[in-house]
Amino acid sequence: MWQWCWDWYGTPYAGGIDPRGSPSGGYRVLRGGAWDVYANGSQCAYRVSGSPNVAYSVIGFRCVRGD
């Protein structure tokens, strides 16, 4: 299942251990892939953009807690 990320989608992409996305934008980052993509798109490093005001059946989110 794709997972929403807090970062706005933008290029160029910094990469690295804890990359930051664009400071603003119209699309959020989605990571992880889903059943409807090829194998190379089903990895945590794969990223695409998605409109945050649209519901998709293959997108979810992961709750995390900071220390």
Side-chain angles (χ1 to χ4, degrees), residues 40-61:
N40 67 339
S42 295
Q43 54 186 330
C44 63
Y46 192 72
R47 63 192 285 276
V48 296
S49 63
S51 178
N53 61 353
V54 176
Y56 303 93
S57 63
V58 294
I59 297 176
F61 63 94

Side-chain angles (χ1 to χ4, degrees), residues 22-45:
S22 297
S24 63
Y27 297 96
R28 293 279 187 186
V29 173
L30 294 165
R31 288 193 178 269
W35 59 267
D36 62 343
V37 297
Y38 293 106
N40 67 339
S42 295
Q43 54 186 330
C44 63

